[in-house]
Amino acid sequence: MISRKNASISKCIIHKVGNKHNNTKNAFSEKEVHFDEASYELMLPFLLRPFGSVVQSYRFNHHANISLNEINTYSSQMFNEDDAFIETSKHIVKHLFEQSNSAQIKTGDVLIVMFEGIEFNEITTNALGIFKIENKVNFFQTYLENNSYDVLVQKGISSKKVDKGCLILNQTDTEGPIILSADNNNYDAQYWTNHFLNIKYADDANNHTQQYIELCKDFSEDILKISYGNQEQNTFLARTIDFFKENETINVERFKEEIFEEDKHKTLFDDYKKTFEGEKDILIRNQFDVAEAVVKKEKKKIKTDIKLDTNIQIKLDIDAPEASSEYLERGYDDEKKMHFYKVYFNAEG
C-alpha cells in the first residue's frame, strides 16, 4: 500500500479508447491537462485512493522476455524521456485498444498520469498511473435562461472510485518494477491484468500468505462445508486465522498437525491442495513468512455465520476458534425430524 500525503501530479493527459470488436475508434488529445485548483484537489485523491489499501503488488510478465512486455517498455520511456510523454501515452491507449476482443469490453476515458512523491515501503518515488473510466453517472446541471433557472441531465465521471487503474512505481526489486493494480469493474479478469498489463503477483510473503489463505477458504467451502457442515467449516477457518496470527512463519506440515485432529482430514487437504495448485497454475511453498497485513485483510472477508432455514442465524467469533467445538453441539431430533444446535453459555451479553 502507498501513502499519498506528499504526492502530486506532474503530468496528465486524457484520451478515449474504443473497442475494435464494435468498430468504435480511439480519440487522442494533443495537449496535457491543466487543472484548476478545484479539479486538481478532487482528481489527486480520486486517482490514488484505490492503492491506499492494496496489499499485494505485481511484476511485469512475458512468455519470452520481460523486455518485450509493452507496458514495461512504455513506462520505462515515460520515466527516462521527459518529452516522450504525449506520444507514449497514445501508444498505451493503442495497446489497450488491441485487447478489446469482445463486445463486453467497454469503451471509456483513459487517463495517463505522472505522479511525484509516492511513498511505498518507506521509499519516496515517482510513478506512472494508467486509469480507465468505463462508467459515467448522471447528474443534474442547473442553468439560468430568461431570468429563470432550469435543469438538465448530464453525464460525468463519478469521483467515488476508479473503474480500472494501475500504478507503476519507478522502483524495482529483484523481480523488476513494482506495480499496483485495482479493478472495480471486474467483468473480465483476463482483460486488464493479463492481456493489457501482462503482470503477475510478486513472489513475496504477501502472495504466499494470500495463496494459502485462499486455499484454506476454498477447501472449507468445497470439502468441509459439503461433507461436514457449517460448524466444521467455520471452526477450521477460525483455527486457520488463529494459526496465522500466532506464527511469523508457516510450515505446511506443522499447520496440518495443529489444525486437523484426524488423519483423513489431512489427506483430504493434501489432495485438495494438489487440485488447487493445478487449477490455479501455482505452486504453494511448504514454508513461507506470514504477511500480517494480508491476514488482517482476509480475516475481514471471512464470514462465520451459520444460516438456518428456520430464519435463525448463529454468528461465530473468528477470534475464538475453540468456542464452536466447546460450546456448540449439533444433533438430530427424531421426533421433529429436524437437525438442531445446542448452545452453552453463562450469561447473555
Side-chain angles (χ1 to χ4, degrees):
M1 59 187 70
I2 66 162
S3 171
R4 53 185 171 89
K5 62 181 180 180
N6 296 317
S8 62
I9 296 173
S10 59
K11 293 183 180 182
C12 176
I13 194 166
I14 302 174
H15 305 296
K16 288 188 178 291
V17 65
N19 183 316
K20 67 178 182 180
H21 189 273
N22 296 332
N23 294 317
T24 51
K25 305 299 183 182
N26 299 328
F28 298 106
S29 297
E30 298 300 331
K31 294 181 180 180
E32 297 176 25
V33 175
H34 295 286
F35 296 101
D36 59 31
E37 184 176 353
S39 59
Y40 181 88
E41 292 300 320
L42 275 176
M43 184 64 73
L44 180 60
F46 166 66
L47 296 178
L48 292 181
R49 192 179 299 119
F51 309 110
S53 58
V54 168
V55 176
Q56 287 184 273
S57 63
Y58 295 83
R59 302 297 181 272
F60 285 119
N61 187 36
H62 195 275
H63 69 277
N65 190 314
I66 202 71
S67 63
L68 299 177
N69 181 296
E70 289 88 343
I71 301 302
N72 185 23
T73 300
Y74 296 144
S75 61
S76 179
Q77 289 177 350
M78 292 279 201
F79 291 133
N80 297 315
E81 302 173 25
D82 191 58
D83 58 353
F85 178 74
I86 294 177
E87 287 305 311
T88 305
S89 71
K90 295 178 183 178
H91 292 313
I92 290 173
V93 173
K94 291 174 184 177
H95 175 59
L96 181 61
F97 176 80
E98 290 301 318
Q99 313 316 311
S100 56
N101 295 315
S102 71
Q104 69 175 349
I105 303 297
K106 299 177 181 178
T107 61
D109 297 335
V110 180
L111 286 74
I112 313 293
V113 186
M114 294 296 293
F115 297 97
E116 295 180 356
I118 300 291
E119 295 179 21
F120 179 81
N121 287 348
E122 300 181 352
I123 295 175
T124 301
T125 185
N126 57 332
L128 169 66
I130 304 171
F131 306 90
K132 185 184 178 190
I133 309 299
E134 298 177 325
N135 294 319
K136 300 290 181 71
V137 297
N138 293 327
F139 66 91
F140 292 109
Q141 177 69 51
T142 58
Y143 63 97
L144 182 64
E145 185 175 26
N146 297 327
N147 295 322
S148 295
Y149 279 98
D150 209 337
V151 65
L152 57 83
V153 176
Q154 293 183 320
K155 283 186 175 292
I157 299 172
S158 169
S159 61
K160 291 184 178 180
K161 67 177 183 179
V162 171
D163 291 316
K164 287 174 166 52
C166 76
L167 201 62
I168 304 165
L169 305 183
N170 192 14
Q171 178 184 342
T172 62
D173 58 14
T174 55
E175 294 184 80
I178 297 167
I179 306 149
L180 306 177
S181 181
D183 188 351
N184 290 310
N185 261 5
N186 198 10
Y187 53 81
D188 185 340
Q190 304 297 313
Y191 164 63
W192 183 254
T193 56
N194 289 6
H195 297 159
F196 171 57
L197 296 172
N198 193 2
I199 53 179
K200 61 181 180 180
Y201 280 121
D203 185 23
D204 59 11
N206 289 327
N207 187 36
H208 303 152
T209 303
Q210 178 79 36
Q211 287 178 345
Y212 203 82
I213 293 178
E214 287 294 333
L215 163 67
C216 292
K217 287 164 62 178
D218 288 2
F219 173 74
S220 76
E221 185 72 23
D222 297 340
I223 304 298
L224 295 182
K225 181 179 179 180
I226 293 173
S227 301
Y228 302 98
N230 288 85
Q231 184 180 1
E232 189 78 22
Q233 176 194 22
N234 292 331
T235 299
F236 167 75
L237 289 174
R239 286 177 176 173
T240 297
I241 293 299
D242 197 53
F243 188 86
F244 271 80
K245 285 162 54 180
E246 292 182 353
N247 292 274
E248 294 182 356
T249 301
I250 299 298
N251 178 280
V252 173
E253 292 303 317
R254 192 160 66 85
F255 171 84
K256 291 187 295 182
E257 288 297 324
E258 291 196 20
I259 298 299
F260 299 115
E261 296 178 358
E262 299 183 37
D263 288 339
K264 65 178 181 180
H265 288 168
K266 298 175 188 176
T267 302
L268 285 171
F269 185 78
D270 286 336
D271 292 342
Y272 190 86
K273 178 173 172 287
K274 292 176 184 177
T275 303
F276 182 87
E277 289 174 323
E279 290 178 350
K280 303 288 186 180
D281 192 25
I282 59 174
L283 182 64
I284 293 177
R285 296 191 178 190
N286 290 324
Q287 185 163 309
F288 56 89
D289 294 332
V290 172
E292 186 179 346
V294 175
V295 177
K296 288 181 179 179
K297 192 168 186 178
E298 288 304 307
K299 175 188 168 183
K300 294 177 182 178
K301 297 179 184 178
I302 294 176
K303 305 297 182 185
T304 55
D305 296 354
I306 300 176
K307 297 181 180 180
L308 308 178
D309 59 2
T310 50
N311 298 319
I312 294 174
Q313 293 187 32
I314 302 173
K315 183 175 178 61
L316 304 176
D317 188 347
I318 197 169
D319 290 319
E322 303 306 323
S324 174
S325 56
E326 290 183 18
Y327 306 121
L328 190 67
E329 288 183 13
R330 191 177 190 272
Y332 185 79
D333 188 301
D334 291 321
E335 186 176 331
K336 289 189 175 182
K337 307 297 182 186
M338 297 175 71
H339 297 282
F340 67 82
Y341 278 105
K342 183 188 290 185
V343 182
Y344 295 92
F345 64 96
N346 291 313
E348 295 186 19

